[in-house]
Amino acid sequence: MYIGIDFGGTNIRAAVVDKSGNLIHKNRIRTGDTSNYSVFLKRFIDFIQSTKKDFDIKGIGIGFPGSISKQQKIIVAPNLGWKNIDLRSDLSSQLNIPVILDNDVNMAICGEKWLGAAQDFSDFFMLTIGTGVGGAFFVGNNIYTGTGNNAGEIGHINIEPGGIECACGKKGCLEQYASATALINFARRNLISNKESLLNDIELKDIEAQHIYDAGKQGDRFALQAIDYNLKNLAIGIAAVVNLMNPQAIIIGGGVSHAGDFLLKRLRPFLKYYCLDFSYKDLVVRLASLGDEAGIFGSVYRHLK
Ligand SMILES: [Zn+2]
């Protein structure tokens, strides 16, 4: 059996999974204070020990929210305040177990490939749309990482030179126009001139992407305008991927995918418009199916591959 771990900024969730993909046992802790790495490491190891104590564990996989090198070192994890940390080797030496660590999107795509929406595909791209827009590739049945494990950063394709400033330091990146955060910001900025919108019932600061999608599903004109602006921008980014790599499928995951088929229905016309006809013709566009568990299963899959 294996342990798959989804390392989030708020919670760390772990699960014991067998090699057929059955989830045997779950455990979680608050991520808590990470400012002192060695104090955190001790707490994290205690958590893993308590998760594995009743099982014969052959390996641990971790999906991590940060930039991970090809050598599986944490280069930077802005949410945790970490830089140049070798969590993987600290864990494997102290627990005496093989550990695989990669960024959360790479782990999520592996989960969808193994047990989720991408089982039928060898060449596909997965996006995760939430606070930002992440992405990862499968090419020829293997994850494609690029030379420094940075492939798939669709969120930082420039769609508006000189546009909105991005956390990466550039201006005009896709995620500033197509993430859930971008959708919320658009609604907050423009709601003032749309008095008839259902969204006026919600405090401006409390508006979430879910509210906007719910209003859109009820036919709210302003919500639909905000959603379509967001999805049009997303389609420009996806079309760049489709035209470049001609994949079998695009898999859409992350928080925004909860909007379901409604999202796909509104996205498809934009994709048809921006993708090359011959690449769009056979393209499957599908929602991810494993939700928050994708990274956990993907972390286990990496030991089996
Ligand atoms: Zn950027």
Side-chain angles (χ1 to χ4, degrees), residues 153 155-158 164-176:
E153 288 286 4
H156 303 281
I157 289 179
N158 198 300
I164 302 172
E165 201 160 315
C166 182
C168 73
K170 314 285 183 195
K171 286 179 176 171
C173 292
L174 177 75
E175 75 175 23
Q176 299 306 319

Side-chain angles (χ1 to χ4, degrees), residues 51-290:
T51 307
K52 76 192 249 307
K53 67 177 190 299
D54 298 325
F55 305 96
D56 176 24
I57 299 298
K58 301 264 187 273
I60 296 169
I62 304 173
F64 191 85
S67 175
I68 309 297
S69 75
K70 210 137 202 173
Q71 294 73 33
Q72 303 181 42
K73 287 188 184 145
I74 298 164
I75 299 167
V76 59
N79 299 338
L80 306 172
W82 290 359
K83 259 185 183 171
N84 300 318
I85 282 181
D86 200 351
L87 176 64
R88 189 202 66 83
S89 64
D90 290 341
L91 290 177
S92 71
S93 61
Q94 295 201 37
L95 293 162
N96 207 15
I97 282 182
V99 177
I100 297 175
L101 182 127
D102 203 346
N103 74 61
D104 41 15
V105 186
N106 282 356
M107 289 309 197
I109 196 174
C110 289
E112 293 293 339
K113 166 68 185 168
W114 184 27
L115 299 165
Q119 291 177 59
D120 303 337
F121 307 120
S122 58
D123 299 84
F124 63 99
F125 189 82
M126 177 170 167
L127 298 105
T128 55
I129 309 164
T131 321
V133 179
F137 287 109
F138 251 72
V139 176
N141 259 328
N142 285 302
I143 191 160
Y144 176 80
T145 60
T147 182
N149 204 32
N150 298 314
E153 288 286 4
I154 187 174
H156 303 281
I157 289 179
N158 198 300
I159 64 159
E160 189 166 308
I164 302 172
E165 201 160 315
C166 182
C168 73
K170 314 285 183 195
K171 286 179 176 171
C173 292
L174 177 75
E175 75 175 23
Q176 299 306 319
Y177 299 84
S179 60
T181 314
L183 177 65
I184 295 162
N185 288 342
F186 179 94
R188 285 181 184 162
R189 266 199 317 273
N190 296 292
L191 194 56
I192 185 91
S193 46
N194 289 276
K195 295 281 182 226
E196 79 295 345
S197 171
L198 296 167
L199 292 169
N200 285 293
D201 296 345
I202 305 161
E203 285 274 339
L204 213 52
K205 65 171 176 36
D206 296 332
I207 292 179
E208 301 283 348
Q210 170 99 46
H211 297 130
I212 303 168
Y213 268 99
D214 286 348
K217 285 174 186 173
Q218 293 176 59
D220 185 273
R221 259 188 38 208
F222 171 67
L224 289 173
Q225 186 197 337
I227 290 165
D228 285 350
Y229 176 71
N230 190 266
L231 293 180
K232 180 188 127 183
N233 289 318
L234 188 67
I236 292 171
I238 295 176
V241 173
V242 169
N243 294 352
L244 202 63
M245 70 175 286
N246 184 205
Q248 295 165 296
I250 297 288
I251 308 291
I252 297 179
V256 165
S257 64
H258 295 307
D261 290 336
F262 175 81
L263 181 152
L264 294 184
K265 222 173 105 191
R266 301 218 59 106
L267 176 64
R268 282 201 174 99
F270 294 118
L271 286 177
K272 188 169 162 44
Y273 183 81
Y274 289 112
C275 293
L276 285 168
D277 291 340
F278 42 80
S279 291
Y280 182 72
K281 186 167 58 76
D282 298 318
L283 181 73
V284 177
V285 183
R286 203 179 263 187
L287 298 171
S289 66
L290 298 177

